[in-house]
Amino acid sequence: MAGEGQGPVPARSEILGGVMNVRLCSRRQFGLSALMTGFSGASIRAPRADGARRFVMQDCRGRRVAIGSMDRIVSIGGTVTETLYALGMAHRIVAVDITSTYPPSALREKQSIGYMRTLSAEGILALRPDLIIAMNDAGPAAAIDQLIASGVPIVMIDATRSLDAVGKRILTLSKIMGAEQAGTAMVVRIDNQKRTLSAWKSLHRERARVLFVMRIANGRPMAAGADTAADAIIGLAGGVNAGAGMSGYKPLEREALVELRPDVILMMSQGGQAMREALLGDEAIRMTPAGERHAIIDMEGEKLLGFGPRTVEAAFELARQIDRVTRPS
Amino acid sequence: MSIRSRKPGVTLLLLVLLLSSVFVLALATGPSGIGLRSLFVSPGPETTRSATGPDMAQLIVLYIRLPRVVLATLVGAALGAAGGVMQGVFRNPLADPGLIGVSPGAALGAAFVIVEGARWPGAGGIMQLGVPVGGMAGAFIMTAILNLLALRGGGFSTSRLILAGVALGAFAASLTGILTYRANDSALRDLAFWSMGSLAGAYWQVVVILLPLVLVSLILLIGLSRPLNLLLCGEENAALMGCHVRRTKWLSMLAVTLAVGPCVAFSGVIGFVGVVVPHIVRLFAGPDHRFLVPACALLGAALLICADMIARIIAAPSDVPVGIVTAALGAPAFLWFLLRTRDGDLPS
Amino acid sequence: MMLRLENVTVRRQDRLLLDGISLSLPAGAFTVIVGPNGAGKSTLLRVAAGLIRPERGTVRIDGQSPDTMPSMRLARSRAMLTQDHAIEARFTVQDVAAMGVVAPSSGRARLRRMVEVCLTETGLRGYEGRDVTTLSGGERQRAHLARVLVQLRWQGPRTLLLLDEPVSAQDIAHQMRVLSLAKAHAARGGACLAVLHDLNLAAACADRIVVLDRGRLHIEGTPAQILTQDMLSDVFSLEFSRPGIHRETMRPYILPHDLVSSPIVQAPKGTLPCISQ
């Protein structure tokens, strides 16, 4: 990323355009390296109203949040972290939760605050954040309430898993960060990808039956039914969720699995080669069209299911891969 | 000679001292490194420079730590005292509130709210109190059914109670299983973390609800100590000494449910405290329930405060479920304790 | 009357345990129940104590039905030594002895003295601080007896003492000690009803003896009236016992004759032992 280690950069009113390399900083912003190594209490001064930009915004719960400086952000939720990184705001983040798997550097270079549903209010406050951005399904509720009560600005981000919500999330986050232009550019790019995808889908009308297997539990595949992120992305990619008859992630009975006749089996690349082999070794799966053709697709989990900025990209990639593995050779 | 003290009053006093010091220590310890001094010291030069000024210190200590430490005290006291009473009523060293369906019932009620509540639109706000309320309802319904079953035989025999409790517990567990199966992804995770037990849900409203319930049940539990002593001589001998055996058992179950049901509902399943604390106390204070029950409450509270303190700071800034800490530290500590004592010192 | 039973019938699962028993026990009386195994002796004590409510008939303790008495008042007007001597906790002997009494704080000193007296009387002096789980069976039985005595004496002398086989675990010296305690309780104006198996002991100490057989009251009377060859053969099927009168105490006694000159002992080698009728 450009500008690493540079001195104070122009304030918000003097932003320059550009998609990925825009850096928005207050006048008090110090070098990225200093942020990375972590401040001692003395090296960052409490922000004053005269220095930082101050504004009030409404979050997804209808709360009005006054936001001042944003040099020590705690980012809760993989999508939030991914978007902040994409907006070039990585240097402002002090800590992320463990669902922040993309980019992989996030969990390496930032402090971890644990799982997003078992947050510790005092643990987060101990990091002296000046802004907390959290997905709306973060918890426990008491910790969120305590964070709200602490007076540290905390913005809750709508956690709906849909394509519309993806764009809204990016716009909201870019507005918070004062990076509207970067955000708009991202949304425009996503819209372009969407158009490309629908054009591609109009040319490829065969709708393959896709079964998403989360993992193999006790020898039985846990598959995605309706009302899951996997169901949504399969739909976006132009496929049919073979497991749509059930709801949520459920273990599949072998005979039922054969009956679902998936053309493609989709999995997360975190499962690795071991899971691919387990799937191909399963008698029931071998009896399905997907098993006969070894049609197994894997994709990075956060990209596939996170409904972050890469969602349409993921759907397009998925659509092409489905087409490739199902096309009769 | 046994290691047991001849003066139970001294033991109680020592436990009170232990509890108060642990309480203050826990209040002064946390991932933010804020000590109690920052509450009273006027903002000096070093506090103004950090982002956590005196206001933040006050907030953290009074609104995050204090309710959590108080909650740990209440839950620990309730679990300890209820464990002591359960072991007395059932005259069984392994008796715990799970045996009379309190924990499975609370788990079922809480699971119902977690899983089904997730389907109601805009349930976020309700969930916070919904889960404990569901847990409490589950615990009370389960105990009520069990009482009816046990009373039907005309008597109130302990073995009947245990058998009915085991069967009902299994049934409740299967219903919880059905709910787990129906759960969506996030409800499933909530369920998993609830079952590990955590005091992270502590805020003042919880404490205000729990405080009267736990106090009333503690008074009931301590009030039951004489009849429980008599029961140790056998049910017939107890009855001959004027103990209303059926009423004692019935009241014990009510008091245990009143104490443990709300605690389990708020904090999830925290194992070990209820089973082991009474054994440790018996080694020091003897079997007399008039000392045993209050001592169990004091030691249970102190232990849970310590365990929660560890849970708060060991993986800071994240939070470890306290149930894991109680089991991981408590079980080996108890084994060490067992190894140090000879057979003759153990309660028979 | 300290205790009055009228036409008491107790049934458990179609089996008659007691069948129309009437019995009264005046103050000052020491009555002993004897009878073969399964005659209903312990059941009769339980009915008298108010532990079992009879199917038919009435029970009156000092004129009152135990059903209508508050449990604490009942506990002050009668006490019973059962055959269950187990204590599943490591109480001390004096803890156990004091257990039957709820003393107000002003009565603590009186209770301590009373415990001391009763432990001395039951031969447990010096055992005060001993853990009851380390006692022998006989010692534990006496610890329970001390508890029962404290429970009764707290109220006063006009009380009912029920003893179920109080000497079953005692050596001969302690048998005497325990029975003299029972007699002393009656002599002070209380009443005592005890189940004993040893007919000679019963005859030696009892004012009256009640013989139970298969749930019925077989005969009741003074020891001399009871200990007859007829009773022994009817109730215990003892054909060759010889009731006699002791020359010093003028109390009846029996020698189980079967044992000293039994045909079993005299049977020639190689033949099957049999009891001749």
Side-chain angles (χ1 to χ4, degrees), chain B residues 176-206:
Chain B
T176 311
I178 292 175
L179 285 170
T180 312
Y181 181 79
R182 281 171 54 81
N184 64 29
D185 209 33
S186 68
L188 208 58
R189 278 156 207 251
D190 283 347
L191 216 55
F193 281 105
W194 186 86
S195 70
M196 278 188 265
S198 169
L199 296 169
Y203 48 120
W204 280 115
Q205 287 97 309
V206 170

Coordinates of all heavy atoms in Angstrom, one line a residue, chain B residues 176-206:
Chain B
T176 N -34.2 -30.4 24.1 CA -33.1 -29.5 23.7 C -32.4 -29.9 22.4 O -32.1 -29.0 21.6 CB -32.1 -29.4 24.9 OG1 -32.8 -29.2 26.1 CG2 -31.2 -28.2 24.7
G177 N -32.3 -31.2 22.3 CA -31.6 -31.7 21.0 C -32.5 -31.3 19.8 O -31.9 -30.9 18.8
I178 N -33.8 -31.5 19.9 CA -34.6 -31.1 18.8 C -34.5 -29.6 18.5 O -34.3 -29.2 17.3 CB -36.1 -31.4 19.1 CG1 -36.3 -32.9 19.2 CG2 -37.0 -30.8 18.1 CD1 -37.7 -33.4 19.7
L179 N -34.4 -28.8 19.5 CA -34.3 -27.4 19.3 C -32.9 -27.1 18.7 O -32.8 -26.3 17.8 CB -34.4 -26.6 20.7 CG -35.8 -26.5 21.2 CD1 -35.8 -26.0 22.7 CD2 -36.6 -25.5 20.3
T180 N -31.9 -27.8 19.1 CA -30.6 -27.6 18.6 C -30.6 -27.9 17.1 O -30.0 -27.2 16.3 CB -29.5 -28.5 19.3 OG1 -29.7 -28.4 20.7 CG2 -28.1 -28.2 18.9
Y181 N -31.3 -29.0 16.7 CA -31.4 -29.4 15.3 C -32.1 -28.3 14.5 O -31.7 -28.0 13.4 CB -32.1 -30.7 15.2 CG -32.3 -31.2 13.8 CD1 -31.2 -31.8 13.2 CD2 -33.4 -31.0 13.1 CE1 -31.3 -32.3 11.9 CE2 -33.5 -31.4 11.8 CZ -32.4 -32.1 11.2 OH -32.5 -32.5 9.9
R182 N -33.1 -27.7 15.1 CA -33.9 -26.7 14.4 C -33.1 -25.4 14.3 O -33.5 -24.5 13.6 CB -35.2 -26.4 15.1 CG -36.3 -27.5 14.8 CD -37.5 -27.2 15.8 NE -38.0 -25.9 15.7 CZ -38.8 -25.5 14.7 NH1 -39.2 -26.3 13.8 NH2 -39.2 -24.2 14.7
A183 N -32.1 -25.2 15.2 CA -31.5 -23.9 15.3 C -30.8 -23.4 14.0 O -30.2 -24.3 13.3 CB -30.4 -24.0 16.4
N184 N -30.8 -22.1 13.8 CA -30.0 -21.6 12.7 C -28.5 -21.4 13.2 O -28.2 -21.6 14.4 CB -30.6 -20.4 12.1 CG -30.6 -19.2 13.0 OD1 -29.8 -19.1 13.9 ND2 -31.6 -18.4 12.9
D185 N -27.7 -21.0 12.3 CA -26.3 -21.0 12.6 C -25.9 -20.1 13.8 O -25.2 -20.6 14.7 CB -25.5 -20.4 11.4 CG -24.1 -21.0 11.3 OD1 -24.0 -22.1 11.7 OD2 -23.2 -20.3 10.9
S186 N -26.5 -18.9 13.9 CA -26.1 -18.0 15.0 C -26.7 -18.5 16.3 O -26.0 -18.5 17.3 CB -26.5 -16.6 14.7 OG -27.9 -16.5 14.7
A187 N -27.9 -19.1 16.2 CA -28.5 -19.6 17.5 C -27.7 -20.8 18.0 O -27.6 -20.9 19.2 CB -30.0 -20.0 17.2
L188 N -27.2 -21.6 17.0 CA -26.4 -22.7 17.4 C -25.2 -22.3 18.2 O -24.8 -22.9 19.2 CB -26.0 -23.4 16.1 CG -25.7 -24.9 16.2 CD1 -27.0 -25.6 16.7 CD2 -25.4 -25.5 14.9
R189 N -24.5 -21.2 17.7 CA -23.4 -20.7 18.4 C -23.7 -20.2 19.8 O -23.0 -20.4 20.7 CB -22.6 -19.7 17.6 CG -21.8 -20.3 16.5 CD -21.6 -19.4 15.4 NE -21.3 -20.1 14.1 CZ -20.1 -20.2 13.6 NH1 -19.1 -19.6 14.1 NH2 -19.9 -20.9 12.5
D190 N -24.8 -19.4 19.8 CA -25.2 -18.9 21.1 C -25.5 -20.0 22.1 O -25.1 -20.0 23.3 CB -26.5 -18.1 21.0 CG -26.3 -16.7 20.4 OD1 -25.1 -16.3 20.3 OD2 -27.2 -16.1 19.9
L191 N -26.1 -21.1 21.6 CA -26.5 -22.2 22.4 C -25.2 -22.9 23.0 O -25.1 -23.2 24.1 CB -27.2 -23.2 21.5 CG -28.3 -24.0 22.2 CD1 -29.3 -23.1 22.8 CD2 -29.0 -24.9 21.1
A192 N -24.2 -23.0 22.1 CA -23.0 -23.7 22.5 C -22.3 -22.9 23.5 O -21.8 -23.4 24.6 CB -22.0 -23.8 21.3
F193 N -22.3 -21.5 23.4 CA -21.6 -20.7 24.4 C -22.4 -20.6 25.7 O -21.8 -20.6 26.7 CB -21.3 -19.3 23.8 CG -20.1 -19.3 22.9 CD1 -20.2 -19.3 21.5 CD2 -18.8 -19.4 23.4 CE1 -19.1 -19.3 20.7 CE2 -17.7 -19.5 22.6 CZ -17.8 -19.4 21.3
W194 N -23.7 -20.7 25.5 CA -24.5 -20.6 26.8 C -24.2 -21.9 27.6 O -24.1 -21.8 28.8 CB -26.0 -20.6 26.4 CG -26.9 -20.4 27.5 CD1 -27.3 -19.3 28.1 CD2 -27.5 -21.5 28.3 NE1 -28.1 -19.5 29.2 CE2 -28.2 -20.9 29.3 CE3 -27.5 -22.9 28.2 CZ2 -29.0 -21.6 30.3 CZ3 -28.2 -23.6 29.2 CH2 -28.9 -22.9 30.2
S195 N -24.1 -23.0 26.9 CA -23.9 -24.3 27.6 C -22.5 -24.3 28.3 O -22.3 -25.2 29.1 CB -24.1 -25.5 26.7 OG -23.1 -25.6 25.8
M196 N -21.6 -23.5 27.9 CA -20.3 -23.5 28.5 C -20.3 -22.6 29.8 O -19.4 -22.6 30.6 CB -19.2 -23.0 27.5 CG -18.7 -24.1 26.6 SD -17.3 -23.5 25.7 CE -18.1 -22.9 24.2
G197 N -21.3 -21.7 29.9 CA -21.4 -20.9 31.1 C -20.5 -19.7 31.0 O -19.3 -19.8 30.7
S198 N -21.1 -18.5 31.2 CA -20.4 -17.3 31.2 C -21.1 -16.2 32.0 O -22.3 -16.2 32.1 CB -20.2 -16.8 29.7 OG -19.7 -15.5 29.7
L199 N -20.3 -15.4 32.6 CA -20.9 -14.3 33.4 C -20.8 -13.0 32.6 O -21.0 -11.9 33.2 CB -20.2 -14.1 34.7 CG -20.3 -15.4 35.6 CD1 -19.4 -15.3 36.8 CD2 -21.7 -15.5 36.1
A200 N -20.6 -13.1 31.3 CA -20.4 -11.9 30.5 C -21.7 -11.1 30.4 O -21.7 -10.0 30.0 CB -19.9 -12.2 29.1
G201 N -22.8 -11.8 30.7 CA -24.1 -11.1 30.6 C -24.4 -10.2 31.8 O -25.6 -9.9 32.0
A202 N -23.4 -9.9 32.5 CA -23.7 -9.2 33.8 C -23.9 -7.7 33.5 O -23.1 -7.0 33.0 CB -22.5 -9.3 34.7
Y203 N -25.1 -7.2 33.9 CA -25.2 -5.8 34.0 C -26.2 -5.6 35.2 O -26.8 -6.5 35.7 CB -25.6 -5.1 32.7 CG -26.7 -5.7 31.9 CD1 -27.9 -5.0 31.6 CD2 -26.6 -7.0 31.4 CE1 -28.9 -5.6 30.9 CE2 -27.6 -7.6 30.7 CZ -28.8 -6.9 30.4 OH -29.8 -7.4 29.7
W204 N -26.4 -4.3 35.6 CA -27.1 -4.1 36.8 C -28.5 -4.6 36.9 O -28.9 -5.1 37.9 CB -27.0 -2.6 37.2 CG -25.7 -2.2 37.8 CD1 -24.8 -1.3 37.2 CD2 -25.1 -2.7 39.0 NE1 -23.7 -1.3 38.0 CE2 -23.9 -2.1 39.1 CE3 -25.5 -3.6 40.0 CZ2 -23.0 -2.3 40.2 CZ3 -24.7 -3.8 41.1 CH2 -23.5 -3.2 41.2
Q205 N -29.2 -4.6 35.7 CA -30.6 -5.1 35.7 C -30.6 -6.5 36.1 O -31.5 -7.0 36.9 CB -31.2 -4.9 34.3 CG -31.6 -3.5 34.0 CD -30.5 -2.9 33.1 OE1 -29.3 -2.9 33.5 NE2 -30.8 -2.3 32.0
V206 N -29.6 -7.3 35.6 CA -29.5 -8.7 35.9 C -29.3 -8.9 37.4 O -30.0 -9.7 38.1 CB -28.4 -9.4 35.2 CG1 -28.1 -10.8 35.7 CG2 -28.7 -9.4 33.7

